[in-house]
Amino acid sequence: MRFIHVAALVAIVLAPNRPANAQEWTEYINKEDGFSAVFPGQPKVETITWPSEYRMVFPGRVYVATDAMGRYSTTVVDYRTAEKLHRARVDQCRAAEGKNGLDGDSCQFDFAVEVAGAVNHATWKILQRPNSKLSHFMFYFLEMVTGNLIQQVDGEGNRIFAAVHMHDGRLYIHEA
């Protein structure tokens, strides 16, 4: 299995400015979710559900660690069941077609566009945060896995860095 290795984006940017008494940054490896990241200490894990652009709900986890400089997180959303869920939706729709007067176009199989657009949808959700102003946006890749790199400034002047990737059926959102 190939892992996505992520260094918290801000660790590189702010490392020289860290206070001397800051806790140590360590590499966190998670084989179950297929990533490694550098966090200030051991991250706390929260189980979430992720509503997708095509009205599906996928399981996920958020890994969060904080220090005096800020909050660092990796969100992993499991899209590996997307095809099965979309197929079940289409089957259910087709079974109801004759009963509800629906035509064939109403039972669209959206699996491919769901997965292809997951990075853009997650990016859009980040860009919609209130009181945040986009300062940089670009196509990005890490270890040949493509995605988006986003930089924002919130209403209090804090800089927010995010990278969004899709790899091996999982959506990864890294924020600092």
Side-chain angles (χ1 to χ4, degrees):
M1 177 192 337
R2 184 169 166 222
F3 285 94
I4 290 187
H5 300 280
V6 178
L9 300 170
V10 84
I12 296 167
V13 175
L14 299 179
N17 300 325
R18 285 190 308 154
N21 61 354
Q23 65 190 89
E24 285 297 312
W25 286 73
T26 57
E27 183 177 24
Y28 173 79
I29 299 172
N30 188 294
K31 292 180 181 181
E32 183 179 358
D33 281 332
F35 78 97
S36 68
V38 178
F39 285 111
Q42 185 75 11
K44 293 181 181 171
V45 183
E46 176 188 356
T47 299
I48 63 164
T49 56
W50 179 265
S52 76
E53 184 172 15
Y54 288 85
R55 300 173 318 281
M56 293 289 178
V57 177
F58 296 104
R61 283 186 273 281
V62 181
Y63 301 83
V64 178
T66 60
D67 71 2
M69 298 296 290
R71 178 184 186 274
Y72 312 90
S73 68
T74 295
T75 301
V76 182
V77 181
D78 191 348
Y79 273 76
R80 293 176 296 177
T81 60
E83 184 172 11
K84 178 181 172 185
L85 292 173
H86 278 277
R87 177 64 59 204
R89 178 189 279 174
V90 168
D91 292 345
Q92 182 180 15
C93 178
R94 287 190 177 146
E97 269 183 329
K99 299 172 190 170
N100 299 329
L102 301 171
D103 64 19
D105 289 342
S106 60
C107 300
Q108 198 165 288
F109 185 55
D110 292 321
F111 158 68
V113 292
E114 171 86 87
V115 174
V119 168
N120 286 344
H121 180 64
T123 300
W124 178 248
K125 289 172 85 166
I126 292 169
L127 294 175
Q128 295 304 301
R129 291 182 180 159
N131 302 320
S132 291
K133 181 181 176 185
L134 182 65
S135 58
H136 188 76
F137 178 84
M138 65 182 265
F139 173 80
Y140 177 73
F141 67 92
L142 179 67
E143 294 190 11
M144 301 307 294
V145 177
T146 62
N148 293 326
L149 181 68
I150 305 142
Q151 295 178 22
Q152 295 175 306
V153 178
D154 69 13
E156 299 174 7
N158 298 310
R159 294 187 310 167
I160 302 163
F161 299 86
V164 183
H165 301 90
M166 177 68 96
H167 178 68
D168 199 23
R170 294 182 186 102
L171 176 70
Y172 295 92
I173 304 167
H174 313 283
E175 297 183 75

